[in-house]
Amino acid sequence: MSVPVYLPRPQLQQLFDVLIGYGYRIIGPVARDGAISYDEIVSASALPWGIRVRQEAGVCRLQTASDERGFAWANGPQAIKPLVFAPLEPLWRMSRRGANFEVEAVKAEERPTAVLGVRACDLAALALQDRHFLGGAHVDAHYAARREGLLLVAVNCTHPAPTCFCASTGDGPQAASGFDLALTELDDGYTVSAGSQVGEGLLSHLALLPATPSQLAGVQQALHHAAAVQTRKLPGSNLHDVLLARLDHPRWQEVAERCLACGNCTAVCPTCFCHAETEQATLDAGSSTHRREWDSCFGERHGYIHGKQLRPATLQRYRQWLTHKLATWHEQYGRSGCVGCGRCIAWCPTGIDITEEAAALCAPQP
Amino acid sequence: MNAAHLPQPAEIVERIRESDNIFTLKLRFADAAYQANYCYAPGQFNMVYLPAVGEVPISLSSDPEDDHLAHTIRVAGRVTRGLAELKSGDSLGLRGPYGRAWPLASALGKDVVVVTGGLGCAPVLAVIHYVLRRRSAFRRLVVIQGVKHGHDLIWAAAYAAWAQQPDCQILVAADAADALWPWHVGSAIPLIEQAQFDPAHAVAMLCGPEGMMVAAARALAARGLDESAIHLSLERNMQCAVGLCGHCQLGGHFICRDGPVFAYPEVKLLLERGGL
Ligand code: SF4
Ligand code: FES
């Protein structure tokens, strides 16, 4: 990582201009539909200036503040995941040729994309998705094509939400790796450091100042504060053995009574990777498109086999989700599948809190 | 999705009706070079693609040395119902082979005990044929098959013929059967006691409902067979077959990629637990 330098806020637009000059489309945070969403933007003016986000279990509300900060919120329902693992995309097309047929792969769009304002938790989640889609014997070509053209500008989290617990999972609030540039927002500008050669190259185009000791101290204090204010936490970094030993804990039934099995948690979770493959045919079935779309282990089709449900009860589905995320993920990818972003807590319609459930399930038993 | 993982057109060279809802398709890839290079081992599966409808995972039931592939398919849903309508000369798509095969190399020179439950258990059918074709490479072959009702037993003639072969023992049980049923009435599991094999030099291969396989594994272990010599083929919802879509997970295993054949100790706790 390079020595931090300082970009005064009025110069933030330079970063946009440089990226656009290099042919990147910029995806950044905007305040929209009552939440932070990541959209294509061309100007720094589109950022959510003066916006705060109140997030609690089952709650997300935008609020306004009277300052000039653009990144003074924790996160929105989505960030990087939909950009690399598309919510719905075609994999191949079939066309009939007389009695025969042909199948042709559909290529993923590969436009170079810069994501501005990614959080440490999202970088950690991206690293996990990379391992899933790229790290095995079968490299997913669609994910790979999008991932390759991705430039990541992190903004360290200075305003975590009450739902956040990245400090307890070790994934935030400061981005440690996996970014091209990392910014930390102060009252009148940003400290900036590069995390890659591409990032270094970008720095050379910006009108930067040396970061002063007081700016650096301000950053340290803000990041320390961002970790210190987090009250939620997981009861340990590896819950594999304890959770798998408690598959009959009465807590599963209690949480199943509140769970609507709606799948919101899996949709907002930046590490959930399940997807369904479906076939969409033209009316005469002369051609069709084989697609994949995000799926959820809470849904009807996930555990469907030969006309039966493997996990018919909500209890089984919630248990599958939580034990995968916090236990069997360790077997698959050597760490927990939770990066502490708190999205599943905020976006659960009934406010089910993964940290509370994990604590109850893992509490010492008499 | 890589080019290697696109369905390859294949032609149905023969359709064999096995029962009201089970049929076998003998297939050959439209591209002769592809056919010539296509290698697989018993226990592996293909994603069978019905154009414009979708894919289903189906185990290969042919012998790797055959000049065609075969899939024995039971009608269980939309895609298999559509596949059942196809006739010889029609085309479908195949991508594969996927998954871990039966450990046939480790069974060489040993007794092979096959336990299956339910209908049209294609994964073990491939094993039975494989052993019978290479009779001298293996010692005894014991096949224990359970069905719900006697009239569910397809390949009854084949079972009777296998029973006549040297060093073969065929034990069939139906939970219920008509008066002329020649085999055992009741569960197939107690028949494991009658199986003649040398537990110190045997490999067992199981396929069928998970509860039945757990019971069979217990009975085999009680006969002195080491649990690591017991292998079973698992079924799950499979959509990608390459360890990505997440549907086939059992505990930390992706059954499409880490299985479908497992050594019993790898999945014992998960299967004994059930409901996961
Ligand atoms: S499980 Fe919940 S808190 Fe953890 S990464 Fe997924 S959405 Fe975020
Ligand atoms: S079938 Fe998709 S992960 Fe196994």
Side-chain angles (χ1 to χ4, degrees), chain A residues 94 100-101 132 138-139 141-142 248 274-277 279 288 295 301-302 304 306 310 316 319 324 331-332, chain B residues 1-2 5 7 49 51-53 55 91-92 235-237 239-240 242-245 247 249 252 254 273 275:
Chain A
M94 183 284 299
N100 298 317
F101 65 93
H132 179 70
H138 179 80
V139 173
H142 288 238
D248 294 311
C274 283
H275 53 271
E277 297 195 12
E279 189 90 1
S288 62
D295 199 8
R301 66 182 167 185
H302 198 278
Y304 176 90
H306 303 329
L310 287 172
Q316 291 168 300
R319 190 175 63 189
H324 181 219
E331 296 171 32
Q332 296 172 341
Chain B
M1 194 56 60
N2 300 335
H5 297 280
Y49 174 57
V53 181
E55 293 187 304
S91 303
L92 49 67
E235 276 193 307
R236 277 289 182 281
N237 181 349
Q239 304 201 1
C240 71
V242 291
L244 294 181
C245 78
H247 286 85
Q249 291 175 88
F254 292 94
R273 178 69 188 50

Side-chain angles (χ1 to χ4, degrees), chain B:
Chain B
M1 194 56 60
N2 300 335
H5 297 280
L6 289 179
Q8 296 291 323
E11 189 186 318
I12 300 174
V13 290
E14 193 184 347
R15 180 195 193 277
I16 302 160
R17 182 187 183 280
E18 310 284 7
S19 78
D20 282 352
N21 64 350
I22 299 173
F23 57 99
T24 297
L25 299 179
K26 290 193 178 177
L27 297 149
R28 214 172 279 137
F29 288 105
D31 178 343
Y34 195 91
Q35 175 74 42
N37 290 323
Y38 182 88
C39 293
Y40 66 95
Q44 288 193 293
F45 68 94
N46 274 322
M47 294 304 289
V48 178
Y49 174 57
L50 180 62
V53 181
E55 293 187 304
V56 278
I58 310 271
S59 170
L60 280 142
S61 53
S62 44
D63 191 284
E65 284 174 17
D66 288 344
D67 60 354
H68 63 268
L69 315 174
H71 284 292
T72 296
I73 302 169
R74 182 164 68 90
V75 176
R78 213 165 52 95
V79 179
T80 47
R81 212 175 307 126
L83 290 169
E85 304 289 312
L86 299 180
K87 307 174 297 298
S88 83
D90 288 345
S91 303
L92 49 67
L94 298 175
R95 65 178 173 96
Y98 293 117
R100 182 157 63 162
W102 294 109
L104 284 162
S106 78
L108 288 173
K110 296 185 184 158
D111 294 338
V112 177
V113 182
V114 170
V115 186
T116 102
L119 302 179
C121 223
V124 290
L125 196 65
V127 169
I128 297 169
H129 286 135
Y130 189 92
V131 171
L132 288 174
R133 259 212 213 175
R134 297 158 185 81
R135 202 59 205 85
S136 60
F138 301 90
R139 295 199 315 189
R140 293 182 54 73
L141 173 66
V142 183
V143 179
I144 301 162
Q145 159 92 56
V147 289
K148 273 211 185 70
H149 194 279
H151 54 57
D152 291 337
L153 183 71
I154 59 173
W155 306 305
Y159 279 81
W162 298 337
Q164 303 308 313
Q165 300 230 10
D167 292 327
C168 280
Q169 184 185 14
I170 308 295
L171 298 162
V172 183
D175 294 335
D178 303 328
L180 291 178
W181 174 248
W183 311 92
H184 177 75
V185 177
S187 158
I189 303 303
L191 296 182
I192 290 174
E193 272 176 41
Q194 301 171 29
Q196 292 158 23
F197 63 96
D198 173 3
H201 298 97
V203 170
M205 304 188 203
L206 281 44
C207 166
E210 289 176 8
M212 173 238 116
M213 291 196 286
V214 169
R218 281 204 187 111
L220 288 163
R223 288 283 314 270
L225 187 61
D226 198 277
E227 283 184 348
S228 64
I230 302 173
H231 300 266
L232 33 81
S233 178
L234 295 181
E235 276 193 307
R236 277 289 182 281
N237 181 349
M238 295 193 203
Q239 304 201 1
C240 71
V242 291
L244 294 181
C245 78
H247 286 85
C248 67
Q249 291 175 88
L250 172 65
H253 301 292
F254 292 94
I255 287 181
C256 66
R257 184 191 71 192
D258 306 333
V261 173
F262 289 92
Y264 189 52
E266 295 174 303
V267 289
K268 178 181 172 182
L269 293 178
L270 296 163
L271 293 185
E272 284 181 343
R273 178 69 188 50
L276 295 177

Side-chain angles (χ1 to χ4, degrees), chain A residues 9 12 16 29 38 47-52 68-74 116-119 155-159 183 185 190:
Chain A
R9 181 161 294 119
L12 185 62
F16 281 74
Y38 282 71
L47 293 168
W49 299 110
I51 294 289
R52 297 284 188 277
E68 295 200 4
R69 288 181 178 244
F71 299 91
W73 38 268
L116 174 67
V118 307
R119 300 304 195 186
V155 177
N156 289 319
C157 199
T158 50
H159 289 66
L183 279 57
E185 185 171 54
Y190 306 85

